[in-house]
Amino acid sequence: MKRNTIPKSALVCLIIGLLMTALTPLIGRYFLLPDFLKGFLNGLGLAVETFAIIKIQQSKKNMKCLASND
């Protein structure tokens, strides 16, 4: 069985980013939000997702380095 190599912090960031990106249009439908706030929340969600993906890639790269040293 393959071990989960994704760090917990990266997984949490990915989930938060996905929720921010997906829920902003739904919140905007039921509550009056200015366009600036909608765009800011969408952009912030995408930035958090990108940060999580970078952390995942770095952890995979570190795992390869550790495996090649053994």
Side-chain angles (χ1 to χ4, degrees), residues 44-55:
L44 189 62
L46 290 173
V48 171
E49 288 177 39
T50 305
F51 176 72
I53 290 172
I54 290 171
K55 284 185 83 167

Side-chain angles (χ1 to χ4, degrees), residues 1-5 60:
M1 197 151 113
K2 190 174 181 180
R3 286 185 51 177
N4 188 5
T5 59
K60 285 184 180 182

Side-chain angles (χ1 to χ4, degrees), residues 26-45:
L26 293 175
I27 292 170
R29 179 178 291 180
Y30 296 109
F31 299 105
L32 184 61
L33 292 177
D35 287 339
F36 169 76
L37 188 59
K38 288 180 192 177
F40 179 75
L41 291 175
N42 274 332
L44 189 62

